[in-house]
């Protein structure tokens, strides 16, 4: 059987109650997805979702076969994952972070700047961390005036760095 590419949408943080429910901290921009899920993967194993609801800042979820607190405790600190085809569709011009990590980064003159190694979530806008061949990092605001092109298929990002950044 071919292995699935699985993507994390939440982290199981604690059991909830005595009937096998777990608390999941969402790691997605689409928390409503938890209410519609039929299956999820934990530790590479597929679990049928029996029920899900929001409670404060977490999702309470019940999985088939996880029927008591002891079984739920075995799932704590594990990721809840889904296959790529179950990811939420994104609006045009937006991308999943994992699709751009590892992309080659160039400036508008086609000079190589490095590899996009991380995306920092700052609140106001994301920040791209670009690491050059010498291991030096540069930070770029992920705003339209800086990010000129993202080509997922060819793993290429084109940036127009501010004039004070040395390319």
């Amino acid at each position: 059987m071919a292995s699935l590419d699985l993507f994390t949408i939440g982290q199981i943080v604690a059991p909830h109650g005595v009937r096998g429910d777990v608390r999941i901290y969402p790691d997605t921009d689409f928390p409503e997805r938890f209410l519609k899920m039929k299956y999820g993967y934990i530790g590479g194993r597929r679990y049928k979702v029996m029920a899900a609801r929001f409670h404060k800042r977490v999702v309470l979820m019940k999985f088939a076969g996880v029927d008591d607190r002891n079984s739920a405790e075995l799932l704590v600190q594990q990721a809840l994952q889904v296959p790529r085809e179950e990811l939420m569709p994104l609006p045009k011009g937006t991308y999943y972070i994992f699709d751009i990590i590892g992309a080659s980064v160039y400036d508008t003159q086609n000079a190589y700047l490095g590899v996009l190694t991380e995306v920092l979530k700052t609140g106001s806008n994301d920040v791209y961390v670009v690491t050059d061949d010498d291991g030096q990092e540069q930070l770029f605001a992920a705003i339209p005036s800086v990010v000129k092109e993202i080509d997922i298929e060819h793993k290429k990002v084109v940036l127009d760095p501010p004039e004070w950044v040395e390319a």
Side-chain angles (χ1 to χ4, degrees):
M1 180 173 140
S3 68
L4 283 172
D5 278 340
L6 298 174
F7 300 92
T8 299
I9 61 166
Q11 200 69 27
I12 300 172
V13 294
H16 181 82
V18 296
R19 296 192 178 124
D21 291 6
V22 293
R23 292 178 189 227
I24 300 170
Y25 183 76
D27 186 17
T28 174
D29 291 337
F30 308 99
E32 67 279 0
R33 74 177 343 274
F34 290 96
L35 302 179
K36 300 174 184 170
M37 288 179 62
K38 295 187 186 327
Y39 296 94
Y41 290 81
I42 304 166
R45 181 175 166 209
R46 183 173 148 167
Y47 286 85
K48 182 176 182 179
V49 176
M50 304 304 292
R53 67 186 189 281
F54 291 107
H55 177 71
K56 298 180 183 174
R57 299 177 88 182
V58 297
V59 176
L60 300 181
M61 195 168 270
K62 172 75 172 133
F63 296 105
V66 181
D67 298 318
D68 57 36
R69 186 174 184 91
N70 291 339
S71 299
E73 284 176 353
L74 297 175
L75 303 179
V76 172
Q77 296 185 2
Q78 294 195 56
L80 176 62
Q81 300 180 305
V82 295
R84 179 178 272 283
E85 52 275 2
E86 291 181 24
L87 292 174
M88 300 297 287
L90 296 176
K92 184 175 172 63
T94 58
Y95 311 92
Y96 281 108
I97 290 173
F98 56 77
D99 280 333
I100 60 174
I101 294 294
S104 298
V105 181
Y106 297 86
D107 69 12
T108 54
Q109 312 310 304
N110 208 33
Y112 179 73
L113 301 176
V115 173
L116 198 151
T117 54
E118 188 176 359
V119 176
L120 305 175
K121 305 293 244 171
T122 64
S124 58
N125 59 267
D126 291 350
V127 174
Y128 291 172
V129 179
V130 177
T131 306
D132 68 16
D133 291 340
D134 296 327
Q136 298 294 315
E137 293 181 342
Q138 292 187 72
L139 306 178
F140 298 95
I143 56 176
S145 63
V146 175
V147 180
K148 296 303 181 185
E149 178 185 341
I150 296 178
D151 182 345
I152 298 294
E153 185 178 338
H154 297 101
K155 294 284 273 190
K156 180 180 179 182
V157 175
V158 177
L159 303 178
D160 187 8
E163 60 187 53
W164 64 84
V165 174
E166 293 182 27

